[in-house]
Amino acid sequence: MSDVRVQLPFHLQNLARVGSEIVITVSDPVTADSILDEVERRYPMLCGTIRDHVTKKRRPFLRYFVCQKDFSHRPTDEELPDAIKAGNEPFIVWGSLSGG
Amino acid sequence: MAGVRVLVGTKKGAFILTSDEARKKWDVAGPFFGGWSIYHMKGSPADPNRIYVSQCSDWFGQIIQRSDDGGKTWYQPGGEVKIDFTGQPAGASNKFVYEGDPGQHQWYDGTPHPFEFKRVWHVEPHPKNPDIVYAGVEDAALFKSTDGGVSWKELPGLRQQRSAEWAPGAGGLGLHTILIDPNNPNRMYGAISAAGAFRSDDAGESWKVITKGLKSQYIPDPNTEIGYCVHRLAMHPSRPDVVFMQLHWNVMRTDNAGELWTNIGEGLPSDFGFPVEVHAHEPNTVYVIPIKSDSEHYPPEGKLRVYRSRTGGGNWEALTNGLPQQDCYVNILRDAMSHDTLDSCGIYFGTTGGQVYVSPDGGDHWQAIVHDLPAVLSVEVQTLK
């Protein structure tokens, strides 16, 4: 089990009524899927806001960042670096495109 | 003391405007859900403190918000933070999944395109039960919740009405109008751009296409049933068989629940517009706001004029007192007009320029309640007695 830091965009912080960063406990292996599964279980109001309810595909205007790298197009069942598992780096969900 | 609560959905949040019966001085609350598009918000006729909101974003998708105290506090039904992980399905209040195979509709180029949920355009609470609420969504479908918005289920009968032929209007393929007869909630009307108008007599389980008599200049076959860009429907509760329609071209009326429509738009400065509304106490008094078509989408001659017919169509008179009569180039969207039911019926509308106007005397005199909101997407009025 790992305590993983997750950073959420402003509007999702408001929906979940949390600050910019939450800490959740995730079973191994720690992947984008397992992190987001746990986020949605703990904060069900975020279901459907990051990933599609049914397909679990990332919403198009959001991005996942891991250790300063864009992991948005990486397989979501890929095990994430140790820095995420150790809590040294956050898993970042980012609203990537500006709307003018 | 009687008063009104005006629920305003905008492109960047929700606002609640309240006043007493005089409707001269207003309190403005909001923005609620700042930064989100509020397509529609509406209170339950059975419990005015129960308000449902469609909140959406291109980034984060669809959210349903609910208030049980008249808009003082809000929450996502069924979306509370979980201490343990048992009980209701998590976060289902924004889960809109089509029944069975979603199927396909026509895309802009006429090719088949799969139905994909995008957002809720319209929420319509049941007239007698505050826990029952309908949602009209894009891509067009009807959903129903029987648990106060905690979970939603499609009523697929609507999409069984030749939905493979439905095509989106410029704003998308949305079920934007849901009318329920308050005296017989089994009777419902629905409208979709650009598919047409529909009627149900069994609370939305099955539907019938009701487009006979409609004409569109780009649909040469007068017998075509599907493909009409219906912008809005309105009816008076005392006459559920009489329905008024703002069509993409023309204002229409039916006296037999949609079996046949006739044009009542003669004399208006434009055959185009979005909202249509009926006076609370005069079933034959109808309001429209003509807009220049096809591409400009602002008032003809830069003059913002509401048109009123006291004869159920025809004999239109321009209502201008208090409205800008020069250099006005806003639009009024289909869900952005409403009325109250006070003795002197108030008429309300919001503009894409961020103004919300009220006439406390049925259209004779107008004043702006607010001038500078974000673009107004919807206006609904609750009469508090």
Side-chain angles (χ1 to χ4, degrees), chain B residues 316-348:
Chain B
W316 297 98
E317 56 179 322
L319 308 174
T320 61
N321 194 332
L323 297 176
Q325 294 306 297
Q326 62 180 18
D327 305 327
C328 181
Y329 295 96
V330 297
N331 194 1
I332 294 84
L333 301 181
R334 67 190 84 223
D335 233 346
M337 192 176 197
S338 187
H339 67 269
D340 65 39
T341 60
L342 292 171
D343 290 342
S344 176
C345 173
I347 307 294
Y348 303 76

Side-chain angles (χ1 to χ4, degrees), chain A residues 9-12 14-18 38 40-50 53-54 59-62 93-100, chain B residues 12 33-36 55 57-63 65 74-76 78-85 89-97 118:
Chain A
F10 171 75
H11 287 300
L12 298 189
N14 287 341
L15 282 180
R17 300 180 186 184
V18 298
E38 193 60 25
E40 292 173 356
R41 283 211 301 169
R42 183 72 180 83
Y43 301 96
M45 72 289 288
L46 299 182
C47 291
T49 65
I50 301 170
H53 270 291
V54 177
R59 290 190 57 80
F61 287 8
L62 299 188
V93 179
W94 193 253
S96 63
L97 304 176
S98 68
Chain B
K12 289 292 180 182
F33 325 117
W36 292 72
Q55 168 189 356
S57 142
D58 288 336
W59 283 261
F60 310 113
Q62 179 67 46
I63 301 293
Q65 295 277 358
W74 301 90
Y75 65 99
Q76 293 169 251
E80 298 83 358
V81 173
K82 295 286 184 182
I83 303 304
D84 58 56
F85 302 130
S93 64
N94 64 345
K95 186 176 182 179
F96 292 85
V97 178
K118 295 183 179 65

